[in-house]
Amino acid sequence: MDLIRLAILGATGMAGREALLHQAYLDSINKQYAKITCVTASDQSVGKSVREVFQEKEATLQQRYPFWKEAVCPDSLGHLTLDSLDPKLIAEKADYAISTLGSDIAKHIEPALAVLGVHVFSNASPHRWTVDVPLLIPEVNYSHLFWVDRQKTSGKLVCNPNCTPAGFVPLLNALMRNGFQ
């Protein structure tokens, strides 16, 4: 299977860090589907390595929160250099993007990437109410993917709900499907 070219947008924030760790875990169990070809960050981190920023953030979290359990930057990703949030640069490097950007930034960058042909899976809220953008919980409503066919861009945009329903809706769905009311 050919690996897709994947960007992690907002790779140095908490959600972006988890996306990186998840990809490294999939690699470690031979379940990889993607090669991370682009990682983006805020202006103060652009040009630094993922490892460098990861270590800086971990040190800050440990200092601020005594209970913090340190995470280690995956060796397979530490060498990557953080890019700016330039849609053209991202589109040159990736065909798919997991966006962990804040809403103010995501509302501009994500549609620009879709126009440039990048398929974006967004964690941000601005497009959750857009008519032709599916709000997807794969275990529950994967059939809603048909909405992307109505998008006029070559790249497609799919959103997930915020973290609260994403955790309990699959459970409620399973209970309902098994007769619990």
Side-chain angles (χ1 to χ4, degrees), residues 39-177:
V39 285
T40 69
S42 60
D43 289 342
Q44 69 252 26
S45 296
V46 170
K48 294 181 178 180
S49 73
V50 168
R51 177 172 284 103
E52 181 181 356
V53 175
F54 204 96
Q55 289 171 339
E56 289 171 2
K57 298 253 177 166
E58 284 299 313
T60 300
L61 289 165
Q62 283 184 310
Q63 206 171 41
R64 191 171 293 160
Y65 306 106
F67 58 84
W68 189 258
K69 183 181 176 210
E70 181 181 8
V72 177
C73 181
D75 286 336
S76 60
L77 303 174
H79 70 282
L80 295 171
T81 300
L82 293 158
D83 290 318
S84 68
L85 286 167
D86 174 2
K88 289 181 182 176
L89 173 67
I90 297 165
E92 288 172 7
K93 291 183 162 193
D95 302 309
Y96 294 83
I98 294 174
S99 176
T100 66
L101 298 171
S103 295
D104 289 346
I105 300 167
K107 70 182 171 186
H108 303 291
I109 298 282
E110 293 172 352
L113 287 168
V115 166
L116 293 169
V118 178
H119 304 292
V120 180
F121 304 94
S122 178
N123 197 41
S125 64
H127 307 294
R128 288 182 183 149
W129 291 96
T130 304
V131 174
D132 60 357
V133 175
L135 186 61
L136 198 65
I137 300 176
E139 302 88 347
V140 177
N141 66 338
Y142 64 87
S143 62
H144 290 196
L145 276 173
F146 77 88
W147 285 104
V148 299
D149 293 335
R150 298 181 182 192
Q151 295 177 18
K152 307 237 183 297
T153 55
S154 56
K156 305 303 177 190
L157 181 56
V158 175
C159 290
N160 69 352
N162 71 20
C163 54
T164 302
F168 69 76
V169 168
L171 173 63
L172 292 175
N173 183 59
L175 291 171
M176 289 172 41
R177 287 185 181 194

